[in-house]
C-alpha cells in the first residue's frame, strides 16, 4: 500500500470513528450484544461432554468467541455500513476523487475491523487466564484472525450488493448470522457431530478460521494442516470478493 492510499485509509477510519461515537447505542450492539451471546454459548457448551471428545474448554471458548465476534461485530456491522454509505451517496462521492475502490471499502470497514480485533484480543486474554491455557501456536491464531477478518469483510461487501436499502440489511444477513455459526464449529464443535457431517462442514466458510484460532492454543494443526486451512479460507474470500466486484453498487438503486 502506497503512502497516499494509507493516508486515505486513515482519513476514512477517523471519519467512521467520529460517526460511530455520535450514536452511543452502537456500543451496546457492537460490544455488549456479542459478549452476551458468548456467555449464552458458554452455558450451551457446558451441556456437552467435552472430555469424551478430548476437547479443552479454554481453547474451544477462544475459537467460539472469535467466530461470534467476527460475525456480529464485523460482518453484520460492515454490511450495514456499506449499504448506509451507499444510500447517503457517500460512496458515490468518494469515487469521484482519487480514492480507489478497494481503499474506499477497506477504509470504511477499518474502524469495525479495529473494534473486532480488540474485542477478540481482550476476550482471548481473559479466557486464557480463566482456563490457564497459554497460546502454544501464536502464528496459527494470528493466521486465523487475519483470514477471518478478510473473509468477513469480503462477505459483507458481497451481501451489501444484495441489499436494496438499509432496512433490508437485517434480512440479507440472517442466513450468515444464524447458519454460519452452526456449520462452522462456532456454536457446536465438529468433533461432537457424526464423522461424515463433521468432515463435510470442514469446508464451511468460517470453519478454517475457527480451526486456526483454536490451534493457536492447542497446536493441533501441523504446518500442512494450517496451510490447508489458510488456502481454504483464501478461496472463500476470493469468491466473495469476486461477487462483490461484479455486483456491488456504488449508488442507490432507482
Amino acid at each position: 500500500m502506497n503512502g497516499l492510499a494509507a493516508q486515505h485509509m486513515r482519513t476514512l477510519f477517523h471519519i467512521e470513528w467520529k460517526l460511530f461515537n455520535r450514536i452511543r447505542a452502537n456500543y451496546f450492539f457492537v460490544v455488549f450484544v456479542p459478549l452476551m451471546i458468548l456467555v449464552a454459548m458458554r452455558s450451551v457448551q457446558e451441556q456437552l461432554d467435552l472430555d469424551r471428545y478430548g476437547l479443552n474448554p479454554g481453547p474451544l471458548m477462544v475459537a467460539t468467541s472469535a467466530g461470534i465476534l467476527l460475525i456480529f461485530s464485523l460482518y453484520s456491522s460492515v454490511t450495514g455500513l456499506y449499504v448506509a454509505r451507499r444510500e447517503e451517496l457517500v460512496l458515490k462521492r468518494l469515487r469521484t476523487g482519487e480514492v480507489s475502490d478497494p481503499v474506499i471499502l477497506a477504509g470504511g470497514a477499518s474502524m469495525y475491523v479495529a473494534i473486532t480485533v480488540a474485542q477478540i484480543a481482550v476476550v482471548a486474554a481473559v479466557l486464557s487466564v480463566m482456563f490457564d491455557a497459554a497460546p502454544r501456536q501464536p502464528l496459527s491464531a494470528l493466521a486465523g484472525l487475519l483470514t477471518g477478518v478478510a473473509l468477513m469483510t469480503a462477505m459483507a461487501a458481497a451481501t451489501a450488493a444484495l441489499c436494496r436499502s438499509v432496512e433490508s440489511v437485517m434480512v440479507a444477513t440472517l442466513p450468515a448470522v444464524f447458519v454460519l455459526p452452526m456449520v462452522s464449529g462456532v456454536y457446536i464443535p465438529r468433533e461432537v457431530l457424526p464423522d461424515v457431517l463433521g468432515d463435510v462442514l470442514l469446508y464451511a466458510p468460517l470453519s478454517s478460521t475457527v480451526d486456526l484460532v483454536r490451534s493457536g492454543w492447542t497446536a493441533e494443526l501441523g504446518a500442512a494442516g494450517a496451510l490447508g486451512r489458510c488456502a481454504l479460507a483464501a478461496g472463500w474470500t476470493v469468491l466473495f470478493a469476486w461477487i462483490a466486484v461484479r455486483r456491488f453498487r456504488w449508488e442507490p438503486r432507482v
Side-chain angles (χ1 to χ4, degrees):
M1 180 184 296
N2 58 40
L4 185 59
Q7 181 181 350
H8 290 152
M9 287 277 291
R10 287 193 297 270
T11 302
L12 290 171
F13 175 88
H14 290 306
I15 292 173
E16 291 300 336
W17 179 251
K18 289 179 180 179
L19 293 173
F20 179 86
N21 279 289
R22 287 182 181 177
I23 305 175
R24 298 302 179 185
N26 285 335
Y27 287 99
F28 177 79
F29 289 106
V30 175
V31 178
F32 292 107
V33 169
L35 295 181
M36 289 167 58
I37 295 173
L38 176 60
V39 171
M41 288 316 305
R42 171 59 179 161
S43 63
V44 171
Q45 291 185 348
E46 284 178 345
Q47 307 303 317
L48 303 174
D49 188 3
L50 299 181
D51 291 336
R52 174 185 174 187
Y53 300 96
L55 297 173
N56 188 323
L60 190 64
M61 284 302 298
V62 172
T64 294
S65 65
I68 289 175
L69 292 170
L70 285 168
I71 293 171
F72 286 89
S73 292
L74 185 56
Y75 166 72
S76 297
S77 300
V78 173
T79 302
L81 173 75
Y82 287 155
V83 177
R85 298 295 174 264
R86 182 188 69 202
E87 298 303 303
E88 296 163 357
L89 301 180
V90 173
L91 299 183
K92 183 179 181 180
R93 287 196 296 269
L94 286 172
R95 291 190 90 201
T96 61
E98 53 188 8
V99 188
S100 65
D101 290 353
V103 170
I104 292 173
L105 296 180
S110 60
M111 192 269 298
Y112 285 102
V113 170
I115 289 176
T116 304
V117 170
Q119 285 179 311
I120 292 174
V122 170
V123 172
V126 171
L127 290 173
S128 295
V129 173
M130 286 176 56
F131 291 95
D132 192 22
R136 298 170 55 192
Q137 209 175 59
L139 288 180
S140 177
L142 178 60
L145 181 59
L146 294 176
T147 57
V149 167
L151 174 62
M152 291 294 98
T153 305
M155 193 172 175
T159 306
L162 305 176
C163 301
R164 287 186 169 272
S165 64
V166 176
E167 290 74 18
S168 64
V169 170
M170 183 173 293
V171 176
T173 56
L174 276 179
V177 167
F178 283 100
V179 177
L180 195 57
M182 296 295 296
V183 302
S184 299
V186 175
Y187 291 163
I188 303 174
R190 293 195 310 276
E191 286 82 355
V192 308
L193 301 174
D195 291 340
V196 176
L197 180 58
D199 291 341
V200 171
L201 296 183
L202 168 64
Y203 298 96
L206 202 58
S207 291
S208 297
T209 291
V210 172
D211 289 351
L212 286 166
V213 171
R214 192 171 76 179
S215 182
W217 273 257
T218 63
E220 62 194 51
L221 293 177
L227 287 175
R229 299 297 197 282
C230 289
L232 182 58
W236 279 108
T237 302
V238 170
L239 173 63
F240 287 121
W242 176 77
I243 294 173
V245 168
R246 290 181 59 87
R247 299 292 184 182
F248 194 84
R249 291 179 176 269
W250 296 91
E251 53 187 277
R253 296 186 180 185
V254 211

